[in-house]
Amino acid sequence: MKISVLTIFPGMFDIIRNYGVIKKAIEKKLVEIDILNLRDYTTDKHKVTDKPSYGGENGMVMLAEPFYRFYDEYILSKNHKPYVVLPSPQGEVFNNDLAFELAKKEELVFFCGRYEGIDERVRKIVDKEVSIGDYVLTGGEIPTMVIIETLLRFLPGVIGSKTSVENDSFYNGLLDYSHYTKPQNFRGMQVPEILLSGDHERIRIFRKKDSLLKTILKRPDLFIKKELDEEEKKILVE
Ligand code: 6GU
């Protein structure tokens, strides 16, 4: 997969490129992440990317021209059509399902906006507007990093084992089960006996029940949306 990001603050992306799982994914060539400076697509000698809003009193708005120039020079030159994402509080609310859909694309492009917003006409060359939640951030860079990190976990080979992605919170509409490591007795708190038993089937059922109960207690909104299978129903009535 290829990801290109258009931003006036390329340095912000060092955070995701240089650490942990994403750094490894880049090294393994599972993903190529290109961070492009929007200023390189400006047309004036001062490399201006924003101007005051028409109508007044509303601060600065990002110019449409640099985004369109990038679109003409980069996106239209490809024989496949990259999928353009505009992170914005007006977008579809991001979740694991949307991340899974985005992870199937051959190439993603993120347009990072700043200030009060982006010229409305940029939306014409955007495939999907995505919000990371009902609150407002000052720019699209952090949301872009959130979206990239989430979707990369779905690419084969990025996370050590497929089962750890599948067991994660939300993958099956439930929160993750509880985890324990050494020591067995930590300040008087014990690891549940069953996890030490070596009985994989009983451990699987125990964890499933833990996931179900955690979801009911902590995220009842998720639980009421979940369609329980026969095994899950049986675990809950036991
Ligand atoms: Cl994607 N962008 C900005 N600027 N603020 C947000 C957001 C995105 N999602 C939630 N708030």
Side-chain angles (χ1 to χ4, degrees):
M1 164 175 254
K2 166 110 189 252
I3 297 176
S4 305
V5 178
L6 200 55
T7 172
I8 57 165
F9 294 133
M12 285 182 78
F13 288 85
D14 292 348
I15 294 173
I16 58 166
R17 286 198 293 184
N18 297 339
Y19 298 93
V21 162
I22 298 178
K23 183 180 180 190
K24 286 214 189 78
I26 294 167
E27 283 167 1
K28 286 196 258 177
K29 302 206 186 308
L30 299 171
V31 62
E32 183 188 343
I33 304 181
D34 259 7
I35 309 298
L36 305 162
N37 196 331
L38 185 68
R39 293 199 193 282
D40 294 340
Y41 294 90
T42 52
T43 43
D44 66 309
K45 74 169 192 270
H46 300 293
K47 299 187 187 291
V48 167
T49 55
D50 63 314
K51 290 202 171 159
S53 171
Y54 271 126
E57 303 291 331
N58 264 322
M60 304 297 271
V61 174
M62 294 189 84
L63 297 171
E65 179 62 27
F67 291 97
Y68 272 77
R69 228 185 116 196
F70 172 81
Y71 190 82
D72 293 342
E73 285 180 16
Y74 183 84
I75 298 187
L76 294 182
S77 73
K78 301 259 163 178
N79 38 26
H80 66 267
K81 163 90 179 58
Y83 191 80
V84 181
V85 177
L86 175 66
S88 131
Q90 298 178 16
E92 178 178 332
V93 179
F94 190 57
N95 60 21
N96 236 25
D97 294 339
L98 182 48
F100 190 78
E101 290 310 306
L102 293 177
K104 293 178 189 163
K105 308 285 181 196
E106 190 176 344
E107 178 168 358
L108 290 171
V109 169
F110 289 88
F111 283 177
C112 297
R114 280 260 138 195
Y115 311 111
E116 305 301 323
I118 209 162
D119 191 301
E120 188 63 26
R121 292 163 289 193
V122 173
R123 291 195 162 85
K124 268 221 158 82
I125 51 170
V126 164
D127 295 304
K128 191 174 282 288
E129 211 172 330
V130 179
S131 163
I132 62 163
D134 291 338
Y135 41 82
V136 179
L137 301 167
T138 52
E141 283 79 7
I142 289 174
T144 295
M145 290 188 245
V146 169
I147 297 166
I148 291 174
E149 158 130 9
T150 311
L151 72 89
L152 285 185
R153 301 182 76 260
F154 288 111
L155 291 191
V158 170
I159 299 290
S161 85
K162 184 161 174 267
T163 48
S164 65
V165 179
E166 288 174 358
N167 286 334
D168 277 333
S169 290
F170 304 125
Y171 187 86
N172 55 5
L174 295 175
L175 301 183
D176 196 8
Y177 51 77
S178 310
H179 299 269
Y180 299 88
T181 185
K182 286 177 195 295
Q184 229 182 89
N185 176 343
F186 176 71
R187 302 192 179 194
M189 295 175 278
Q190 305 291 336
V191 174
E193 274 296 322
I194 202 165
L195 298 179
L196 314 170
S197 69
D199 183 339
H200 298 297
E201 180 56 14
R202 281 183 65 219
I203 290 172
R204 188 182 67 79
I205 301 289
F206 174 84
R207 285 179 163 163
K208 189 83 182 198
K209 186 166 187 170
D210 193 44
S211 270
L212 287 161
L213 294 179
K214 271 196 159 173
T215 311
I216 292 169
L217 287 171
K218 295 184 172 183
R219 290 294 305 275
D221 58 312
L222 283 181
F223 186 75
I224 54 175
K225 280 191 275 180
K226 161 94 182 151
E227 287 194 31
L228 298 174
D229 62 28
E230 289 311 311
E231 182 181 80
E232 289 163 339
K233 287 181 194 158
K234 187 162 159 274
I235 289 171
L236 280 177
V237 295
E238 260 168 11

